[in-house]
Amino acid sequence: MRTFALSALGAALCAALAIPAAAQTQTPTPITLDQAMSHPDWLGTPVETAWWSWDGKQVYYKQKRAGSPLRDTFEAAARAGLAPRKVADSELAKLDSASVHYSRDHSRALLLRNGDLFERDLKSGALTQISKGATPAPQAARYSADGRSVQFRVGHDWFSWNRAERLLSPVALPRTAKDPAAAPDGTPLEASMRDMQLRLIATLKRQKDDKDALRERGDAERAADATRGPQPIYLGDKVVIDASSLSPDGRYLVLATSLKGDKGRIGKMPRYVTESGYEETDDERTRVGRDMPKTQTLKLVDLQTRAVQDIKLDALPGIATDPLAAMREAQKLPALKGNRPVRLDDESDGGISWTDNGAKVAVMLRAVDNKDRWIAAIDLPAAALKPLHRVSDTAWVNGSYNEFGWLPDNATLWFLSEESGYSHLYTLGADGKQRALTQGNWEATRVTWSANASTAFVLCNRKTPGEYEVCAVNAKDASVREVTALEGGVEQYAVSPDERKLLVHYSSAYVPAQIATVAVAASGAGAAVKLTDTRTPDYKARNWVQPQLVAVPSTHGAGPIWSKLYRPATLEAGKKYPIVMFVHGAGYLQNTTKRFPVYFREQMFHNLLVEKGYIVLDMDYRASKGYGRDWRTAIYRQMGHPELDDYVDGLNWMVAQHQGDPANVGVYGGSYGGFMTFMALLREPGKFKSGAALRPVTDWTTYNHEYTANILNTPELDPEAYKKSSPIEYAEKLQGNLLIAHGMVDDNVFYQDSVRMAQRFIELKKDNWELASYPLERHAYLQPESWYDQYRRIYQLFERTLKK
């Protein structure tokens, strides 16, 4: 990518996205720290789950009661002028839900509500209950190939409900147990001993013969009697079932299994404040590399013949090539033999997708080393894989943006792929030709196809990375247009039953999630009807410091670093302002958007800081979501390094463009933001004077496998990456003022991380640091008192150290 100079382009982008003049001249209502950190119900509880009524005439949504954990259901007419009304408890049995699956002709729909399965006749509106109180709840409900039945699974048992007969029948019952009819396992010597016992002990022989006779007779009766359910499918007692999927024609079952085994040493988390008055401990997760994901075996079950076949993975391109071979050799570890371990992709709705007629099935597989993702069809008669698509990455394949499926023609596969550098929508025809339906330096996600597959709706950020709308993609000519144009940004959406409208969750900087309907116009953005405004009068009456979305130039060739700037409308001539820099958490997150932020408390805190004379910058550093593959993988094997470069660029930009004081710079954040606070103070001690590291990772060898192994591989394979990326390795460089704050029952980033760092500082005789502990808080704090105490300490730290 090109390097952007600190001049024309940066200034132009900043000017183009600056806050409106009217907003600049408003005087913000002062916010107190106590109110900012109080229970968020004072803002007004946001709209939660929302869904269309079966006929598209009404919209329903859930909303939390203020001061209570209870939720109520409301009805909002899908047209303007009518206020929402609370749905009475007596009406709940008639409602639909957000979880809907339509029949191919859109005459019927399946819905899951409160763990029970229903079918709605979309012509008459009649609602039929299929299941009641099943444990676990039904999942993966869909229509059979002929449309006469409904298929679903409970656990991994598959059932079919026949509409005409109102009959619920088991279709496939896979069992992780030995087949009672199979010969006993064991060595030849053990088999010889069994034979001897049966030969010598007549009673044992008689009991065995009786048991065998009863089983054989039961099998014969079952085969002759069509009213009987099927026999279980026995897979052996050495495996567990991880995933299963039944073909719509009821002929085949695809299974993913893995071997049983230990999960490695788990952590023990002590709790000191308990109801019993005694200290107690909870079992927690294992650390990275201690419980490697187990390879899965794909199995194809022919339910007519009851044959179970393992599906070989040899056909997957690159499956036998180890991309980490050089690292293994360098660490004197054994070379990988045979195929690399793989698993179904968990992010792709189970990783198994059938055509509507059941004739074809595709699976999405991911290498356990995170370097490859494959889509492959299964040749059902041959029980063999046929590769269709592969994405490889020298860093790691994205864990998000992995939706895929089949179009109604039962021949065309659609999928999302990051192969161009950004997540985009593709189709693959029966002729093997791949076609890109979207392209460009933006991301397409959350795909919904129209019933006839002429249009794909996607969430898109085409204008700037932080502006999200719903786009309509024409499947014929690949043209793309924004369907929505709401102030702020779209968070999620649902297409109405007649496909003429969208139900969208939207929000903006100071407006929590609300809902609106938007007409799907023939061209351009459709008319929007806003249905809710759940903000409280007190919150609505306030004037806030509106964040400016700015493009900070990068000096490292990475492109602009999109950020939120909070500052007074007018800067005093000649004054230097202390700088506070906020670092959002990770797990693949984007905070520089026009939506209501996850960090809404922090945003109010930034208002307070601006009022007290600071300027604040909140950056979407490299590895943030929404900016494509190169931005995401820049931190591979070097966490905390490219991101810190971005923050130094932001610091210099604040000094050059907004009268920032380079001698008084503070930084703070939680989780990954706490990790980055450590990296800023320890790796650039001359630039960052003070910092607050909240629930921070201090040593990546203690974090979980799923996230960490993507970026740093595993500790025994890539120890240098862990050493380079862990703040505890730089503890001796602490010079500034540091606050560490951590919940003591944090089950994400363990409290141990902060304790170990504290011990390191003690041994190094470091000064000007403190550790604040919160005995009853986990990773995400819940209690207003804890929020207040933590942010009081942060505020006092900045006031004490950044103000001359």
Side-chain angles (χ1 to χ4, degrees), residues 437-439 442 458 460 462 471-474 478-482:
L437 294 186
T438 63
Q439 54 189 321
W442 56 278
V458 300
C460 56
R462 297 204 306 168
C471 281
V473 183
N474 187 305
S479 59
V480 181
R481 63 182 177 87
E482 278 85 3

Side-chain angles (χ1 to χ4, degrees), residues 775-786:
L776 290 176
E777 296 293 357
R778 295 191 181 273
H779 197 62
Y781 288 14
L782 294 178
Q783 304 308 318
E785 297 86 355
S786 300

Side-chain angles (χ1 to χ4, degrees), residues 493-506:
Y493 71 95
V495 183
S496 65
D498 63 7
E499 299 183 350
R500 295 180 180 178
K501 293 182 180 179
L502 301 177
L503 171 60
V504 299
H505 282 72
Y506 73 96

